[in-house]
Amino acid sequence: HKSVRGILTNYAYTLPDPSVPGRLSIWFTGGTIEPADEDTESIRAWKKLFRTVQSDENEDQGADEARHTAQNILLGAVSEPMDESGTIGFHLKRPIGGHSSAFVDLIYMDDDIR
């Protein structure tokens, strides 16, 4: 039984932190998740896993609605429809992160580059 592998790409923007020199604050705005393997069997398994095949079963529709509701409440995330390649996009209604919450500190190895 082959496992399903995916690639998660996050989209964000950065700004200099006003309080800490050399720190960039990060705000995450959305991203994509897509299958890592491009063969037909992997794509089919990926689509089945993420329930993209339309189903008449009420349980599947209810589970899908519950997932969307949880995304909206927890993250303000809005899913976009899956494309033919299996890529699912999402965006956040309000970016997550910011000063003192999500950041990266820059370290310069060369005094001339600073």
Side-chain angles (χ1 to χ4, degrees), residues 19-31:
S19 306
V20 182
R23 176 174 286 180
L24 296 175
S25 297
I26 304 168
W27 281 267
F28 295 97
T29 59

Side-chain angles (χ1 to χ4, degrees), residues 11-13 25-30 71 74-77 90-99 101-102:
Y11 301 132
Y13 62 90
S25 297
I26 304 168
W27 281 267
F28 295 97
T29 59
Q71 287 174 339
L74 297 175
L75 298 175
F90 65 94
H91 65 273
L92 304 174
K93 292 180 182 178
R94 180 176 291 161
I96 297 172
H99 303 307
S101 175

Side-chain angles (χ1 to χ4, degrees), residues 22-105:
R23 176 174 286 180
L24 296 175
S25 297
I26 304 168
W27 281 267
F28 295 97
T29 59
T32 60
I33 186 168
E34 61 188 292
D37 302 309
E38 297 179 5
D39 60 279
T40 304
E41 181 183 334
S42 295
I43 299 293
R44 186 176 297 123
W46 175 271
K47 289 180 178 181
K48 183 178 179 183
L49 177 66
F50 286 96
R51 301 179 191 272
T52 59
V53 178
Q54 295 296 323
S55 173
D56 292 334
E57 295 178 19
N58 290 335
E59 290 179 31
D60 286 346
Q61 291 174 354
D64 195 44
E65 288 178 27
R67 181 176 53 85
H68 285 294
T69 301
Q71 287 174 339
N72 281 320
I73 292 171
L74 297 175
L75 298 175
V78 178
S79 290
E80 298 163 5
M82 180 182 287
D83 67 17
E84 289 297 317
S85 70
T87 300
I88 303 168
F90 65 94
H91 65 273
L92 304 174
K93 292 180 182 178
R94 180 176 291 161
I96 297 172
H99 303 307
S100 302
S101 175
F103 58 86
V104 62
D105 289 327

Side-chain angles (χ1 to χ4, degrees), residues 2-20:
K2 187 177 177 183
S3 63
V4 176
R5 300 179 326 127
I7 299 169
L8 173 66
T9 304
N10 289 306
Y11 301 132
Y13 62 90
T14 62
L15 293 172
D17 189 297
S19 306
V20 182

